[in-house]
Amino acid sequence: MSLPRTARFTHLLRVYWEDTDAGGIVFYANYLKFFERARTEWLRHAGHGQQAMVDRTGTMFVVTDSRLRYLKPARLDDQLQVTVEPVEIGRARIRVKQQAWCGDSLLCEGEIAIACVDRGTFRPCRIPNDILESITE
Amino acid sequence: MSLPRTARFTHLLRVYWEDTDAGGIVFYANYLKFFERARTEWLRHAGHGQQAMVDRTGTMFVVTDSRLRYLKPARLDDQLQVTVEPVEIGRARIRVKQQAWCGDSLLCEGEIAIACVDRGTFRPCRIPNDILESITE
Amino acid sequence: MSLPRTARFTHLLRVYWEDTDAGGIVFYANYLKFFERARTEWLRHAGHGQQAMVDRTGTMFVVTDSRLRYLKPARLDDQLQVTVEPVEIGRARIRVKQQAWCGDSLLCEGEIAIACVDRGTFRPCRIPNDILESITE
Amino acid sequence: MSLPRTARFTHLLRVYWEDTDAGGIVFYANYLKFFERARTEWLRHAGHGQQAMVDRTGTMFVVTDSRLRYLKPARLDDQLQVTVEPVEIGRARIRVKQQAWCGDSLLCEGEIAIACVDRGTFRPCRIPNDILESITE
């Protein structure tokens, strides 16, 4: 297991109508989407698109565990900062801590575990070397 | 071009939190999902699952044109009747009229055009014979 | 704190195109939607619609914590059994265990914590008595 | 009826896992979301947030008609340019033409009609003057 890069990555996004529910706030399941977008941009920032990863290596990342705590609601038009902080990077699995902030209010936080799998069989496999190297030190 | 079966197919569904937006009503884009569910059940009623269609024939249906008019809002917990009425069934394309009702109120109606395509190239191709036969007379 | 009814509630649902992603399987965030639908039907089975709850009491349920483990993928056209098993029912909070099954394969399981809040202020409040009574013994 | 500003507004967005379906492409219903995001940013660019509009004036925009033609598929990681071009701006209704492009490929285009309604009764009402002025010349 390698040491993850320690810098915390931040992705900005806006809350649209599609993200809200009849409670007048962001539907809680959508934080999983927001966290996914941030992880995708974190990987892209490290040089890797996931469609290219599938096409080139036949592997893809899947989420195996998610834990989220919802602290405060977000509303239409809010601009959120969504962070990615890797806490464990293994040969075949990554665990990240993620948070969604609106200004200086923490709205939602959690941990997401991701595994690298074969796109056809969904069997666990090693994270491609170049991707692993670019997200560790 | 064959004559479509004239009977109108109806699919029942319930409005959940996920379907609503901060306006307190069903998010309009979700009627495309509701109409899709009804078409899927209409095909299943005719004997055909779409995953089986892809696996067996390498073809799938894609939507090429959608036109929807939104007349009245639906709310959380409403039970909707969603109809499918084929208006044109060609060798490679299907056009259906669809409506969403809550009780005797028409909420949304429209027309959807669907084409059969190769799953890899997305090129138009003929609708598999057995599927075509089971949705026409 | 009351003892929850021990019977496990099951809700059936079908996987549609809208639920899948480019990995060819159900997008993991959608299990939160499936679990929500099952909880909604569990409450309805106990005699309570949530829109009626908001209109009548000015309170609503919000999710405060979710933990999900994803074990096996579901695919288009799969029919899932989604269960609700209350593990703790307090004056203002409910904690339920939920599972999604396809046939005898367990696909996803987790725990969801729900709080009753004022619809305007989002401050925690007591679950309305009649609702509390109908979900406990 | 006023003349709309003629400049075409463009909003950039990225395709994420959440936007795709098991066909390996963007789920067609999601173009309504993409078009909505672009209209929201077009209004914001004109100085108006929609949550502020609801809070300040008690009115909101709802979609009354949508027509979309789907020409080419988009895939995971594609960056799309989504345009907004008003074709008719009335006292209570707006009609816009919208397109989604990936590079120089037109993927989807359509027309969306929007009405201003009272947030409580959903009855049509006049677009607030300052908003109307800032989107017309």
mmCIF file of all heavy atoms in Angstrom, chain A residues 4 16 18 37 42 48-49 52 58 65 68 80 88 92-93 103-104 106-107 109 123 127 129 132 136:
data_model
loop_
_atom_site.group_PDB
_atom_site.id
_atom_site.type_symbol
_atom_site.label_atom_id
_atom_site.label_comp_id
_atom_site.label_asym_id
_atom_site.label_seq_id
_atom_site.Cartn_x
_atom_site.Cartn_y
_atom_site.Cartn_z
ATOM 1 N N PRO A 4 -0.998 7.944 0.086
ATOM 2 C CA PRO A 4 -1.696 8.820 -0.851
ATOM 3 C C PRO A 4 -1.097 10.224 -0.815
ATOM 4 O O PRO A 4 -0.519 10.635 0.181
ATOM 5 C CB PRO A 4 -3.130 8.822 -0.319
ATOM 6 C CG PRO A 4 -3.027 8.455 1.117
ATOM 7 C CD PRO A 4 -1.799 7.601 1.263
ATOM 8 N N TYR A 16 -28.807 22.615 -9.025
ATOM 9 C CA TYR A 16 -29.862 22.917 -9.998
ATOM 10 C C TYR A 16 -31.195 22.297 -9.574
ATOM 11 O O TYR A 16 -31.235 21.486 -8.651
ATOM 12 C CB TYR A 16 -29.444 22.406 -11.384
ATOM 13 C CG TYR A 16 -28.235 23.121 -11.924
ATOM 14 C CD1 TYR A 16 -27.002 22.477 -12.041
ATOM 15 C CD2 TYR A 16 -28.305 24.457 -12.311
ATOM 16 C CE1 TYR A 16 -25.885 23.140 -12.522
ATOM 17 C CE2 TYR A 16 -27.186 25.127 -12.795
ATOM 18 C CZ TYR A 16 -25.983 24.466 -12.901
ATOM 19 O OH TYR A 16 -24.881 25.134 -13.368
ATOM 20 N N GLU A 18 -32.842 19.936 -10.847
ATOM 21 C CA GLU A 18 -32.770 18.472 -10.892
ATOM 22 C C GLU A 18 -32.260 17.854 -9.599
ATOM 23 O O GLU A 18 -32.500 16.666 -9.340
ATOM 24 C CB GLU A 18 -31.836 18.036 -12.032
ATOM 25 C CG GLU A 18 -30.388 18.428 -11.769
ATOM 26 C CD GLU A 18 -29.437 18.179 -12.938
ATOM 27 O OE1 GLU A 18 -29.331 19.071 -13.824
ATOM 28 O OE2 GLU A 18 -28.804 17.125 -12.961
ATOM 29 N N ARG A 37 -18.703 13.076 -8.877
ATOM 30 C CA ARG A 37 -18.163 14.092 -9.787
ATOM 31 C C ARG A 37 -16.802 14.577 -9.292
ATOM 32 O O ARG A 37 -15.870 14.741 -10.078
ATOM 33 C CB ARG A 37 -19.109 15.295 -9.868
ATOM 34 C CG ARG A 37 -20.437 15.000 -10.523
ATOM 35 C CD ARG A 37 -21.274 16.281 -10.597
ATOM 36 N NE ARG A 37 -22.702 15.991 -10.678
ATOM 37 C CZ ARG A 37 -23.662 16.899 -10.623
ATOM 38 N NH1 ARG A 37 -23.338 18.188 -10.488
ATOM 39 N NH2 ARG A 37 -24.933 16.556 -10.710
ATOM 40 N N TRP A 42 -10.923 14.630 -9.626
ATOM 41 C CA TRP A 42 -9.666 14.355 -8.922
ATOM 42 C C TRP A 42 -8.793 13.423 -9.771
ATOM 43 O O TRP A 42 -7.597 13.671 -9.959
ATOM 44 C CB TRP A 42 -9.990 13.726 -7.563
ATOM 45 C CG TRP A 42 -8.872 13.100 -6.810
ATOM 46 C CD1 TRP A 42 -7.789 13.730 -6.267
ATOM 47 C CD2 TRP A 42 -8.723 11.702 -6.501
ATOM 48 N NE1 TRP A 42 -6.981 12.812 -5.641
ATOM 49 C CE2 TRP A 42 -7.533 11.568 -5.763
ATOM 50 C CE3 TRP A 42 -9.482 10.570 -6.770
ATOM 51 C CZ2 TRP A 42 -7.081 10.329 -5.301
ATOM 52 C CZ3 TRP A 42 -9.048 9.345 -6.301
ATOM 53 C CH2 TRP A 42 -7.855 9.224 -5.581
ATOM 54 N N HIS A 48 -6.146 11.194 -15.591
ATOM 55 C CA HIS A 48 -6.843 9.994 -16.059
ATOM 56 C C HIS A 48 -8.353 10.173 -16.204
ATOM 57 O O HIS A 48 -9.059 10.432 -15.239
ATOM 58 C CB HIS A 48 -6.562 8.840 -15.095
ATOM 59 C CG HIS A 48 -5.107 8.553 -14.985
ATOM 60 N ND1 HIS A 48 -4.411 7.903 -15.971
ATOM 61 C CD2 HIS A 48 -4.193 8.882 -14.044
ATOM 62 C CE1 HIS A 48 -3.127 7.829 -15.635
ATOM 63 N NE2 HIS A 48 -2.967 8.423 -14.469
ATOM 64 N N GLY A 49 -8.828 10.002 -17.427
ATOM 65 C CA GLY A 49 -10.267 9.923 -17.670
ATOM 66 C C GLY A 49 -10.715 8.481 -17.494
ATOM 67 O O GLY A 49 -9.969 7.558 -17.819
ATOM 68 N N ALA A 52 -11.432 6.536 -20.853
ATOM 69 C CA ALA A 52 -10.136 6.117 -21.417
ATOM 70 C C ALA A 52 -9.589 4.923 -20.643
ATOM 71 O O ALA A 52 -9.016 3.997 -21.238
ATOM 72 C CB ALA A 52 -9.151 7.292 -21.368
ATOM 73 N N GLY A 58 -9.490 -2.076 -19.895
ATOM 74 C CA GLY A 58 -10.564 -3.039 -19.630
ATOM 75 C C GLY A 58 -10.963 -3.116 -18.168
ATOM 76 O O GLY A 58 -11.664 -4.042 -17.757
ATOM 77 N N ASP A 65 -18.561 0.560 -0.959
ATOM 78 C CA ASP A 65 -19.059 0.930 0.359
ATOM 79 C C ASP A 65 -19.196 2.450 0.403
ATOM 80 O O ASP A 65 -18.305 3.169 -0.056
ATOM 81 C CB ASP A 65 -18.059 0.467 1.435
ATOM 82 C CG ASP A 65 -18.640 0.478 2.832
ATOM 83 O OD1 ASP A 65 -18.890 1.590 3.345
ATOM 84 O OD2 ASP A 65 -18.840 -0.592 3.414
ATOM 85 N N LEU A 68 -22.428 8.102 4.501
ATOM 86 C CA LEU A 68 -22.642 9.544 4.457
ATOM 87 C C LEU A 68 -23.426 10.011 5.675
ATOM 88 O O LEU A 68 -24.372 9.361 6.111
ATOM 89 C CB LEU A 68 -23.445 9.925 3.195
ATOM 90 C CG LEU A 68 -22.629 10.240 1.933
ATOM 91 C CD1 LEU A 68 -21.825 9.040 1.486
ATOM 92 C CD2 LEU A 68 -23.551 10.682 0.812
ATOM 93 N N LEU A 80 -21.526 24.660 -4.157
ATOM 94 C CA LEU A 80 -20.905 23.768 -3.186
ATOM 95 C C LEU A 80 -19.441 23.509 -3.531
ATOM 96 O O LEU A 80 -19.057 23.459 -4.703
ATOM 97 C CB LEU A 80 -21.648 22.433 -3.144
ATOM 98 C CG LEU A 80 -23.171 22.485 -2.944
ATOM 99 C CD1 LEU A 80 -23.718 21.080 -2.704
ATOM 100 C CD2 LEU A 80 -23.560 23.397 -1.803
ATOM 101 N N GLU A 88 -6.689 5.869 2.075
ATOM 102 C CA GLU A 88 -6.019 4.588 1.905
ATOM 103 C C GLU A 88 -6.001 4.239 0.427
ATOM 104 O O GLU A 88 -7.037 4.256 -0.220
ATOM 105 C CB GLU A 88 -6.794 3.503 2.677
ATOM 106 C CG GLU A 88 -5.989 2.259 2.959
ATOM 107 C CD GLU A 88 -6.830 1.216 3.696
ATOM 108 O OE1 GLU A 88 -7.556 1.600 4.646
ATOM 109 O OE2 GLU A 88 -6.796 0.041 3.296
ATOM 110 N N ALA A 92 -5.647 -2.576 -5.188
ATOM 111 C CA ALA A 92 -6.911 -2.820 -5.894
ATOM 112 C C ALA A 92 -8.069 -2.009 -5.330
ATOM 113 O O ALA A 92 -9.172 -2.060 -5.867
ATOM 114 C CB ALA A 92 -7.255 -4.312 -5.821
ATOM 115 N N ARG A 93 -7.796 -1.265 -4.262
ATOM 116 C CA ARG A 93 -8.874 -0.525 -3.600
ATOM 117 C C ARG A 93 -8.408 0.851 -3.158
ATOM 118 O O ARG A 93 -7.253 1.030 -2.767
ATOM 119 C CB ARG A 93 -9.357 -1.281 -2.353
ATOM 120 C CG ARG A 93 -9.945 -2.629 -2.653
ATOM 121 C CD ARG A 93 -10.286 -3.348 -1.357
ATOM 122 N NE ARG A 93 -11.441 -2.752 -0.716
ATOM 123 C CZ ARG A 93 -12.700 -3.134 -0.962
ATOM 124 N NH1 ARG A 93 -12.942 -4.094 -1.822
ATOM 125 N NH2 ARG A 93 -13.703 -2.561 -0.349
ATOM 126 N N GLY A 103 -20.146 27.602 1.446
ATOM 127 C CA GLY A 103 -19.456 28.625 2.233
ATOM 128 C C GLY A 103 -18.696 27.924 3.343
ATOM 129 O O GLY A 103 -17.944 26.994 3.073
ATOM 130 N N ASP A 104 -18.892 28.345 4.605
ATOM 131 C CA ASP A 104 -18.175 27.672 5.692
ATOM 132 C C ASP A 104 -19.077 26.719 6.480
ATOM 133 O O ASP A 104 -18.773 26.368 7.621
ATOM 134 C CB ASP A 104 -17.497 28.690 6.622
ATOM 135 C CG ASP A 104 -18.486 29.710 7.154
ATOM 136 O OD1 ASP A 104 -19.693 29.579 6.862
ATOM 137 O OD2 ASP A 104 -18.053 30.627 7.864
ATOM 138 N N LEU A 106 -20.491 22.968 6.730
ATOM 139 C CA LEU A 106 -20.328 21.590 6.282
ATOM 140 C C LEU A 106 -21.717 20.966 6.150
ATOM 141 O O LEU A 106 -22.467 20.897 7.125
ATOM 142 C CB LEU A 106 -19.478 20.808 7.286
ATOM 143 C CG LEU A 106 -19.259 19.333 6.970
ATOM 144 C CD1 LEU A 106 -18.584 19.133 5.621
ATOM 145 C CD2 LEU A 106 -18.452 18.667 8.080
ATOM 146 N N LEU A 107 -22.071 20.531 4.927
ATOM 147 C CA LEU A 107 -23.418 20.012 4.675
ATOM 148 C C LEU A 107 -23.482 18.498 4.798
ATOM 149 O O LEU A 107 -24.444 17.936 5.306
ATOM 150 C CB LEU A 107 -23.869 20.391 3.263
ATOM 151 C CG LEU A 107 -23.800 21.865 2.884
ATOM 152 C CD1 LEU A 107 -24.312 22.037 1.456
ATOM 153 C CD2 LEU A 107 -24.601 22.715 3.854
ATOM 154 N N GLU A 109 -20.790 14.775 4.850
ATOM 155 C CA GLU A 109 -19.460 14.190 4.776
ATOM 156 C C GLU A 109 -19.572 12.682 4.842
ATOM 157 O O GLU A 109 -20.578 12.139 5.305
ATOM 158 C CB GLU A 109 -18.558 14.708 5.900
ATOM 159 C CG GLU A 109 -19.008 14.315 7.273
ATOM 160 C CD GLU A 109 -18.015 14.773 8.345
ATOM 161 O OE1 GLU A 109 -16.918 15.242 8.009
ATOM 162 O OE2 GLU A 109 -18.358 14.646 9.538
ATOM 163 N N ARG A 123 -14.755 -8.895 -11.634
ATOM 164 C CA ARG A 123 -13.845 -9.438 -10.625
ATOM 165 C C ARG A 123 -12.812 -8.375 -10.251
ATOM 166 O O ARG A 123 -12.349 -7.631 -11.115
ATOM 167 C CB ARG A 123 -13.106 -10.673 -11.184
ATOM 168 C CG ARG A 123 -14.027 -11.863 -11.305
ATOM 169 C CD ARG A 123 -13.298 -13.183 -11.071
ATOM 170 N NE ARG A 123 -14.235 -14.271 -11.368
ATOM 171 C CZ ARG A 123 -14.184 -15.058 -12.445
ATOM 172 N NH1 ARG A 123 -13.193 -14.926 -13.318
ATOM 173 N NH2 ARG A 123 -15.084 -15.998 -12.631
ATOM 174 N N ILE A 127 -5.288 -1.962 -9.768
ATOM 175 C CA ILE A 127 -5.402 -0.645 -10.388
ATOM 176 C C ILE A 127 -4.243 -0.507 -11.366
ATOM 177 O O ILE A 127 -3.102 -0.828 -11.023
ATOM 178 C CB ILE A 127 -5.336 0.457 -9.309
ATOM 179 C CG1 ILE A 127 -6.498 0.302 -8.320
ATOM 180 C CG2 ILE A 127 -5.333 1.839 -9.947
ATOM 181 C CD1 ILE A 127 -6.380 1.161 -7.072
ATOM 182 N N ASN A 129 -1.041 0.460 -13.250
ATOM 183 C CA ASN A 129 0.137 1.067 -12.624
ATOM 184 C C ASN A 129 0.237 2.576 -12.781
ATOM 185 O O ASN A 129 0.526 3.287 -11.818
ATOM 186 C CB ASN A 129 1.417 0.427 -13.185
ATOM 187 C CG ASN A 129 1.779 -0.830 -12.415
ATOM 188 O OD1 ASN A 129 1.446 -0.941 -11.228
ATOM 189 N ND2 ASN A 129 2.422 -1.763 -13.081
ATOM 190 N N LEU A 132 -2.239 4.271 -10.566
ATOM 191 C CA LEU A 132 -1.827 4.139 -9.165
ATOM 192 C C LEU A 132 -0.698 5.109 -8.836
ATOM 193 O O LEU A 132 -0.719 5.801 -7.806
ATOM 194 C CB LEU A 132 -1.378 2.693 -8.907
ATOM 195 C CG LEU A 132 -1.252 2.278 -7.445
ATOM 196 C CD1 LEU A 132 -2.566 2.450 -6.707
ATOM 197 C CD2 LEU A 132 -0.785 0.827 -7.349
ATOM 198 N N THR A 136 -0.482 8.399 -6.027
ATOM 199 C CA THR A 136 0.337 8.192 -4.821
ATOM 200 C C THR A 136 1.665 8.906 -5.003
ATOM 201 O O THR A 136 1.998 9.377 -6.088
ATOM 202 C CB THR A 136 0.603 6.691 -4.576
ATOM 203 O OG1 THR A 136 1.066 6.099 -5.796
ATOM 204 C CG2 THR A 136 -0.648 5.978 -4.113
#
